Amino acid sequence: MAKMAASMVEGGEDSFRKIFKFYRRRNPPPDLSDVIDFSRCAPGEQIVPVNLDTAAVSDVEATRVGLQPVREWRAFGLRGHPGFIFISDPFLRGTQPFWLRQCLKIYPQKPNICNLDMHMSPLETQDIWGQSVHSLRSSPAGKREARTLLERLRWVTLGYHYNWDTKTYSPSSHTPFPRDLHLLSAHMTAACGFPGFISEAGILNYYRSDSSLGIHVDESELDHTRPLLSFSFGQSAIFLLGGPRRQDPPTAMLMHSGDVMVMSGPSRLLYHAVPRILPAPPGRLALETGGSIQTPPPQEGSVVEPVSEEEWAVCSRYIQSSRVNVTVRQVLAPGQKFPETPRSHQTTDTGQTDGYDDGE
């Protein structure tokens, strides 16, 4: 990656944009030899180990949200990017289907907001899952005349609902944040050294195989001292992590199903992007498409519930060519309030293709 970035800087063009275009290229396909794969890497010159707080989350607490004991997590950082933490699939086997089911069936429900609400009535988007189940379950995607509502889903907002036009949050646009997702996020952040994290806003991005997410920085939250969490489910993706300036050359890495990223401290406001969705490598798609799933027996107090065969038939069909990303943020510092006059942000020049330019 260093050689590629250096050559692009020398060429005089915005290096981030040029690398984004390189990985998004379809013909010929890009060379992926410079892309970091944390699932196969060991600490070295560029990758550094990250010590987690194993006492912050008990084994029982971790299991209740579908996570392995913290001592089993494989956490890495990148030299030159303090505050960036990459955790390679810390989920217990069989628990990712629950979180995917939540992203497809539960979180898009009202009163949460999705992209379909921009041009459809609330009545029409009330039950996106229910209106899509029969078609997804009964016929191959290529043989259907029209895509289902679920397949047309591009984003969902939770908690304080992000305004895509003004790039702000508002106390007047708020619904309760899902308790299960908050518990998962709170345990993840506590293990990474951030106890007391409050999940106040979430953005879910739904990617098709040809989707991308343009170059941007997540700066709309009023408090940047708290980390930003990113969960990935389904197909893999190339993630580009740049610097504090828009033109800084990025580092490319793979995000597989179950992987978690934490952007904190100096890395909280770094530019980043997703230029490409890739097929999950054999054995890395822990969602086990095409067969039945074995969910661990529920424990007392567990938020992870069994996924029915009928639900999994829909989820597995959807995820065969799609990726879901969930980002969770704390918007306000403890005791902080929204300003009386809402702030406005300049639109980030993202070059994105799917109608959203924030979120990951």
Side-chain angles (χ1 to χ4, degrees):
M1 192 69 201
K3 293 180 181 178
M4 182 190 301
S7 65
M8 292 182 179
V9 171
E10 291 169 3
E13 183 180 345
D14 179 331
S15 59
F16 200 135
R17 178 183 292 276
K18 196 166 185 179
I19 292 173
F20 181 93
K21 291 179 178 178
F22 172 79
Y23 283 116
R24 195 174 166 210
R25 189 179 68 196
R26 296 292 164 182
N27 188 24
D31 178 6
L32 304 183
S33 59
D34 287 334
V35 181
I36 296 172
D37 188 346
F38 287 100
S39 69
R40 300 184 178 188
C41 293
E45 182 178 339
Q46 190 176 17
I47 302 170
V48 296
V50 171
N51 295 320
L52 301 174
D53 186 351
T54 57
V57 183
S58 70
D59 291 359
V60 172
E61 289 174 322
T63 301
R64 284 173 178 167
V65 294
L67 295 172
Q68 302 174 37
V70 177
R71 62 182 176 275
E72 303 292 337
W73 298 3
R74 298 176 64 246
F76 306 95
L78 288 176
R79 198 174 303 280
H81 293 84
F84 175 77
I85 303 173
F86 190 106
I87 303 171
S88 183
D89 187 10
F91 288 90
L92 289 168
R93 183 172 178 82
T95 61
Q96 283 190 53
F98 165 78
W99 292 108
L100 177 63
R101 192 275 308 268
Q102 297 299 90
C103 293
L104 297 181
K105 182 179 182 179
I106 305 301
Y107 299 151
Q109 292 180 5
K110 297 291 171 285
N112 300 327
I113 300 173
C114 71
N115 63 292
L116 300 176
D117 294 320
M118 303 299 103
H119 52 85
M120 298 175 69
S121 71
L123 189 61
E124 292 175 301
T125 61
Q126 178 61 39
D127 186 10
I128 294 172
W129 173 274
Q131 296 185 62
S132 306
V133 163
H134 177 74
S135 182
L136 272 174
R137 205 166 45 192
S138 60
S139 59
K143 296 183 178 180
R144 291 195 303 274
E145 292 185 2
R147 285 186 290 131
T148 63
L149 290 182
L150 196 57
E151 291 167 304
R152 292 164 57 191
L153 205 55
R154 291 293 166 262
W155 54 261
V156 168
T157 55
L158 312 171
Y160 286 115
H161 295 284
Y162 185 71
N163 186 312
W164 302 96
D165 294 325
T166 64
K167 300 194 178 298
T168 61
Y169 299 97
S170 167
S172 63
S173 183
H174 176 267
T175 56
F177 194 92
R179 175 180 174 272
D180 53 4
L181 184 56
H182 166 65
L183 287 175
L184 174 65
S185 303
H187 290 332
M188 291 294 313
T189 49
C192 292
F194 296 94
F197 178 83
I198 303 172
S199 307
E200 293 180 319
I203 298 177
L204 283 69
N205 285 337
Y206 301 81
Y207 295 83
R208 299 177 308 235
S209 58
D210 60 348
S211 298
S212 63
L213 182 70
I215 305 165
H216 69 282
V217 61
D218 295 290
E219 61 180 358
S220 298
E221 294 72 33
L222 276 67
D223 177 27
H224 297 147
T225 66
R226 310 302 285 169
L228 182 145
L229 275 157
S230 174
F231 301 93
S232 185
F233 300 108
Q235 298 299 315
S236 299
I238 296 176
F239 181 81
L240 299 178
L241 180 67
R245 298 177 304 168
R246 169 68 172 70
Q247 67 270 26
D248 291 335
T251 299
M253 63 197 79
L254 290 174
M255 283 199 78
H256 298 302
S257 189
D259 289 345
V260 182
M261 290 191 308
V262 179
M263 298 177 69
S264 67
S267 291
R268 175 63 178 79
L269 295 176
L270 298 184
Y271 282 87
H272 51 280
V274 177
R276 194 181 192 92
I277 305 302
L278 297 170
R284 272 299 291 164
L285 186 56
L287 297 165
E288 302 167 8
T289 58
S292 61
I293 55 172
Q294 298 296 323
T295 306
Q299 292 195 357
E300 183 179 354
S302 174
V303 302
V304 177
E305 305 168 342
V307 175
S308 71
E309 292 292 339
E310 292 77 14
E311 290 172 327
W312 183 237
V314 176
C315 291
S316 62
R317 175 65 60 83
Y318 176 91
I319 214 66
Q320 283 176 14
S321 60
S322 302
R323 172 180 180 255
V324 181
N325 178 256
V326 184
T327 54
V328 181
R329 309 105 184 283
Q330 180 168 332
V331 177
L332 302 167
Q336 187 178 19
K337 296 182 178 179
F338 284 96
E340 293 185 10
T341 302
R343 303 177 306 159
S344 62
H345 288 272
Q346 290 186 335
T347 301
T348 301
D349 177 18
T350 64
Q352 54 79 36
T353 60
D354 272 326
Y356 45 77
D357 57 9
D358 200 353
E360 187 155 3

